[in-house]
């Protein structure tokens, strides 16, 4: 414990600086070879480098007045005095219907990224709302959305508190002890701080790309997974306290018995997350090692600090129901014993019926719209940028202030302008700018930047300018960045998903020393994943009415649900294998379910609760990820693990362990119909 205290104290100081190394600019997430990324470098000679346009919208339904135009002009001059505002603003310009005014301000998006934009937009809003006299004022565009995103992400502190509260409530319900939940909570909190400190050092000195999204996912993942490991350890420790008078001997045996499953579980999750290093998106590539670090640190904390705290505290930490030496609880009347007994009577019917139901539900995932979320659909509420974009689209071309741009050879200037002007969805093409042998052409989109229609326009624009021989033309801009992000996410999914499946299979095969069991477990988890995505698609489209899902959403859900779903199968099947060596596979399956059913269900509730806490953030991506992972974990623990896996194990019998030595053992005979089940004595149930 002293060693951990010595680690955590400096870790607090380092973890507090994690926000300083976060990169929240979406252009920084793209690979260097993406077309939009290459255009950013080429465009620096024509426009201020690393800037975000802030689109200022004034509106008056009955028509803007000359006083309104004068205020907009005065505001534009005042905006120039704000630190990080680059160059003179464009405008103000009155709309054709005379009901709105538009001004475009370039905001430095340098070292501080979105945080700097948030500060600038705040100062602009203060200026714009002064002496407005009923004139509407909103800041939208990339800088406006960046500012609102930072506001939404600022709920991360509340997320940590909500996550901790969820863990405490579930542990109180599980153990009915007011003191015991404090130990997993303190240990998980220490693991999170230590992990954040390590990630900060890697981001600062080793080029690891992290963003606010990574920090939020890390929080719920560490709290959820680390608490799961604590539940497994505590459950086995409580069993051993009934068998050993000395609590040190009890902990030694508990660690010996539970650590293989806990280590295998953590290894599965960590290695699966490290596979994300194969991603081309820097945000995904950085998320993998960051979360893997969280899992590994959580594992180390739960296998070292947690046992130390439990042994130091002694049996009284379980008050008011302290496990006394020599006491034995029977599991015959537990719900998990009854479920196991019922399944063992008709195992084939049970697993076939369960698989069919899950398969039918999985069909719903064909309705998942994971092709990106338009800018105004990214929030569960209506912040300033969303309202401003809606007003802008009513009075100006939706793409005003945030154009696409083409960089090409200067000799092809006229051809580029002609080609871009002929693309459907381009409202206007500005006069070309020529410098140092290159030409820079801006095109205003008819549709909102980042929308599906705008992305189609970018694809058509690229097809048009790429045909110009010798032009070496490339198309960039925020919509092009969104499009390239979508393409990179699709590529990442095709590469990473097969690799994760192979890695998880190999880990299971090594742990169980078998081939059949890993294949069946993998199949159940994939089926559970499909059903979770099917339910999520229906909920997103018809209950929550979301505009779509992030292009990277299916990959992240796959990695989390497959890795975490395998976790619970490891916890169950490891115990089943242990019992099968003594009693045969059929009885071992029932005994394993009886022994682990309660603790695995509690672990699933903890993990589902921590991910569900993501829904407290006003972000569609967070709400979707939290909903799907929470539902998937509950489905896996309540149905897939307890019903489907148990039924398969009973039906397949000793073939589960082929080709290991356990396969050659003669299994327990099937009792004749009507024979009462033997009483299973499971300590600590």
């Amino acid at each position: 414990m002293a060693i951990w205290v010595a680690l955590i104290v400096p870790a607090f100081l380092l973890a507090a600086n994690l926000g300083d190394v976060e990169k929240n600019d979406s252009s920084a997430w793209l690979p260097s070879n993406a077309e939009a990324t290459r255009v950013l470098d080429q465009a620096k000679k024509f426009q201020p480098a690393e800037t975000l346009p802030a689109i200022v919208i004034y509106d008056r339904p009955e028509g803007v007045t000359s006083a309104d135009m004068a205020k907009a002009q005065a505001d534009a001059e005042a905006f120039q005095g704000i630190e990080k505002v680059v160059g003179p603003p464009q405008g103000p310009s009155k709309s054709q219907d005379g009901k709105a005014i538009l001004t475009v301000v370039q905001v430095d998006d340098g070292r501080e990224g979105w945080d700097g934009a948030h500060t600038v937009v705040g100062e602009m809003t203060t200026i714009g709302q002064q002496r407005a006299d009923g004139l509407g004022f909103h800041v939208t565009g990339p800088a406006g959305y960046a500012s609102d995103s930072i506001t939404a992400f600022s709920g991360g502190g509340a997320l940590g508190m909500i996550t901790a509260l969820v863990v405490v409530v579930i542990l109180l319900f599980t153990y009915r002890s007011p003191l015991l939940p404090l130990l997993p909570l303190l240990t998980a909190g220490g693991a999170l701080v230590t992990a954040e400190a390590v990630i900060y050092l890697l981001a600062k000195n080793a080029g690891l790309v992290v963003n606010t999204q990574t920090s939020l996912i890390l929080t719920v993942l560490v709290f959820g997974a680390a608490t799961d490991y604590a539940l497994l350890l505590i459950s086995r420790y409580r069993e051993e306290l009934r068998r050993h008078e000395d609590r040190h001997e009890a902990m030694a045996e508990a660690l010996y018995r539970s650590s293989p499953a806990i280590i295998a579980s953590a290894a599965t999750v960590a290695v699966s997350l490290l596979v994300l290093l194969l991603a081309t998106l820097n945000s995904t590539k950085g998320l993998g090692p960051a979360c893997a670090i969280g899992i590994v640190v959580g594992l180390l904390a739960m296998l070292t600090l947690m046992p130390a705290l439990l042994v130091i505290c002694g049996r009284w930490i379980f008050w008011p129901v302290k496990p006394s030496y020599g006491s034995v609880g029977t599991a015959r009347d537990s719900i998990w014993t009854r479920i196991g007994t019922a399944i063992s009577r008709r195992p084939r019917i049970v697993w076939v019926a369960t698989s069919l139901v899950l398969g039918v539900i999985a069909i719903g995932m064909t309705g998942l719209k994971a092709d990106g979320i338009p800018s105004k659909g990214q929030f569960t509420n209506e912040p300033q940028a969303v309202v401003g974009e809606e007003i802008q689209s009513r009075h100006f071309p939706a793409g005003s202030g945030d154009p696409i741009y083409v960089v090409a050879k200067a000799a092809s200037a006229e051809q580029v302008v002609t080609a871009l002007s002929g693309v459907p969805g381009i409202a206007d093409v500005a006069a070309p700018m020529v410098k140092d042998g290159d030409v820079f052409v801006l095109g205003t989109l008819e549709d909102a930047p980042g929308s599906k229609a705008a992305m189609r326009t970018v694809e058509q624009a690229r097809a048009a300018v790429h045909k110009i021989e010798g032009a070496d033309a490339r198309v960039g801009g925020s919509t092009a960045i969104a499009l390239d992000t979508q393409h990179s996410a699709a590529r990442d999914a095709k590469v990473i998903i097969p690799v994760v499946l192979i890695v998880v299979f190999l880990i299971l095969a090594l742990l169980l020393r078998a081939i059949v069991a890993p294949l069946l477990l993998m199949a159940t988890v994939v089926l559970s994943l499909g059903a979770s995505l099917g339910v999520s698609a229906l909920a997103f489209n018809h209950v929550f009415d979301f505009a779509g899902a992030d292009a990277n959403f299916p990959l992240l859900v796959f990695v989390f649900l497959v890795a975490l779903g395998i976790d619970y199968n490891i916890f169950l099947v490891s115990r089943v294998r242990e019992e099968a060596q003594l009693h045969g596979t059929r009885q071992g399956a029932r005994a394993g379910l009886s022994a682990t059913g309660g603790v695995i269900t509690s672990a699933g509730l903890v993990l589902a609760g921590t991910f569900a806490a993501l829904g407290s953030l006003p972000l569609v991506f967070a709400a979707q990820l939290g909903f799907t992972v929470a539902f998937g974990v509950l489905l896996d623990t309540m149905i897939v693990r307890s019903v489907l896996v148990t039924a398969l194990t009973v039906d397949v019998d000793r073939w589960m362990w082929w080709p290991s030595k356990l396969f050659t053992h003669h299994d327990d005979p099937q009792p004749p119909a009507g024979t009462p089940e033997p009483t299973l004595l499971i300590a600590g149930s």
Side-chain angles (χ1 to χ4, degrees), residues 619-655:
L619 294 164
V620 168
F621 174 81
Q624 290 177 331
L625 185 65
F627 176 89
T628 304
V629 174
F631 178 85
V633 167
L634 291 176
L635 178 66
D636 194 74
T637 54
M638 301 294 184
I639 304 297
V640 176
R641 185 262 312 154
S642 60
V643 176
L644 182 56
V645 173
T646 300
L648 278 169
T649 304
V650 173
D651 191 29
V652 176
D653 202 353
R654 63 191 181 93
W655 282 92

Side-chain angles (χ1 to χ4, degrees), residues 6-94:
L7 286 173
I8 291 174
V9 171
F12 265 111
L13 301 177
L14 293 173
N17 298 320
L18 182 58
D20 296 341
V21 295
E22 291 176 352
K23 295 182 178 179
N24 292 310
D25 182 1
S26 57
S27 62
W29 303 348
L30 284 171
S32 59
N33 61 348
E35 183 168 343
T37 306
R38 289 183 288 174
V39 172
L40 283 174
D41 294 330
Q42 293 178 290
K44 288 179 181 178
K45 66 177 72 174
F46 297 101
Q47 61 179 12
E50 299 182 348
T51 59
L52 287 176
I55 302 174
V56 180
I57 297 293
Y58 303 85
D59 74 301
R60 192 182 293 277
E62 59 272 20
V64 297
T65 64
S66 57
D68 294 336
M69 285 296 298
K71 172 178 169 50
Q73 183 62 51
D75 287 351
E77 294 173 1
F79 294 155
Q80 295 183 64
I82 299 175
E83 186 180 0
K84 293 187 178 300
V85 168
V86 180
Q90 302 172 23
S93 305
K94 185 189 293 187

Side-chain angles (χ1 to χ4, degrees), residues 168 171-182 316-321:
V168 169
L171 291 181
L172 283 172
F173 177 79
T174 301
Y175 291 114
R176 299 175 179 84
S177 168
L179 303 174
L180 185 59
L182 296 177
W316 65 266
I317 197 66
F318 291 92
W319 182 85
V321 185

Side-chain angles (χ1 to χ4, degrees), residues 265 268-269 272 500 504 525 558-568:
S265 168
T268 302
V269 179
S272 299
V500 170
V504 171
V525 171
F558 169 83
V559 171
F560 285 127
L561 281 186
V562 167
L564 297 172
I566 286 293
D567 263 15
Y568 301 117

Side-chain angles (χ1 to χ4, degrees), residues 9 30 65 93 122 129 148 266 270 340 347-348 351 384 400 469 491 511 537-538 562 595:
V9 171
L30 284 171
T65 64
S93 305
Q129 291 179 345
D148 287 337
R348 188 164 301 174
W351 74 257
Q384 175 180 214
S400 299
E469 189 174 350
R491 175 266 173 201
L511 175 69
L538 293 173
V562 167

Side-chain angles (χ1 to χ4, degrees), residues 419-433:
L420 198 60
S421 300
V423 174
I426 299 293
D428 180 60
V429 177
M433 294 179 281

